[in-house]
Amino acid sequence: MALNKKQLAEFETQLTDWKAELEMGQSANVHSMTELEQTSFPDPTDQASMETDRNFDLRIKDRERKLIKKIDQAVVRIKDGEFGECESCGGDISVKRLHARPVTTLCIECKTAQEQEERTRLD
């Protein structure tokens, strides 16, 4: 079941809005990190806590950066007519799955198989 033009337009709008929201958060974080803030505390525990918080924020922002890249790739797939197509088996990705995770490139069956294979390799 291929997606119709209306559904594709809705997904494109959802993705571009999501990207804009993430980018706004990214720029706000960069701005807050570059503002004057106390970077040295007399108490080592306070210093460690501040560094832990900063590292946590940086990990989140790195994940958001990667998500922005996936969003861009999904928009390209929409424009190329490949959105909603599983890159593994070539079948259709369900609309329900696309609503849950619009940047996905695998149908639920292929994703489940991939995760099972990853768990097997870790064991």
Side-chain angles (χ1 to χ4, degrees), residues 30-60:
V30 168
H31 179 69
S32 70
M33 290 182 99
T34 57
E35 285 181 348
L36 230 42
E37 65 179 48
Q38 186 175 5
T39 57
S40 179
F41 293 95
D43 180 26
T45 306
D46 289 341
Q47 180 72 29
S49 177
M50 190 265 317
E51 289 175 7
T52 300
D53 290 348
R54 183 179 294 161
N55 287 338
F56 181 73
D57 287 343
L58 288 172
R59 278 197 314 270
I60 289 173

Side-chain angles (χ1 to χ4, degrees), residues 2-20:
L3 298 169
N4 62 40
K5 289 182 182 183
K6 181 182 177 191
Q7 289 172 314
L8 289 172
E10 289 171 358
F11 278 114
E12 186 171 8
T13 300
Q14 178 186 359
L15 288 164
T16 54
D17 290 348
W18 192 12
K19 178 183 174 183

Side-chain angles (χ1 to χ4, degrees), residues 16-113:
T16 54
D17 290 348
W18 192 12
K19 178 183 174 183
E21 182 182 319
L22 289 169
E23 286 176 336
M24 207 172 358
Q26 291 268 326
S27 64
N29 191 11
V30 168
H31 179 69
S32 70
M33 290 182 99
T34 57
E35 285 181 348
L36 230 42
E37 65 179 48
Q38 186 175 5
T39 57
S40 179
F41 293 95
D43 180 26
T45 306
D46 289 341
Q47 180 72 29
S49 177
M50 190 265 317
E51 289 175 7
T52 300
D53 290 348
R54 183 179 294 161
N55 287 338
F56 181 73
D57 287 343
L58 288 172
R59 278 197 314 270
I60 289 173
K61 292 306 169 190
D62 186 52
R63 289 182 67 147
E64 288 176 352
R65 181 188 55 78
K66 291 175 183 175
L67 180 56
I68 289 171
K69 193 176 195 179
K70 287 181 179 183
I71 291 170
D72 288 338
Q73 292 168 345
V75 171
V76 168
R77 286 194 307 277
I78 289 173
K79 293 184 186 319
D80 291 347
E82 298 171 0
F83 185 78
E85 201 174 284
C86 179
E87 69 180 15
S88 180
C89 70
D92 289 336
I93 300 172
S94 72
V95 175
K96 187 176 178 180
R97 176 156 170 74
L98 289 170
H99 279 294
R101 182 113 175 113
V103 296
T104 191
T105 59
L106 298 173
C107 66
I108 194 69
E109 292 83 14
C110 291
K111 184 62 179 176
T112 302

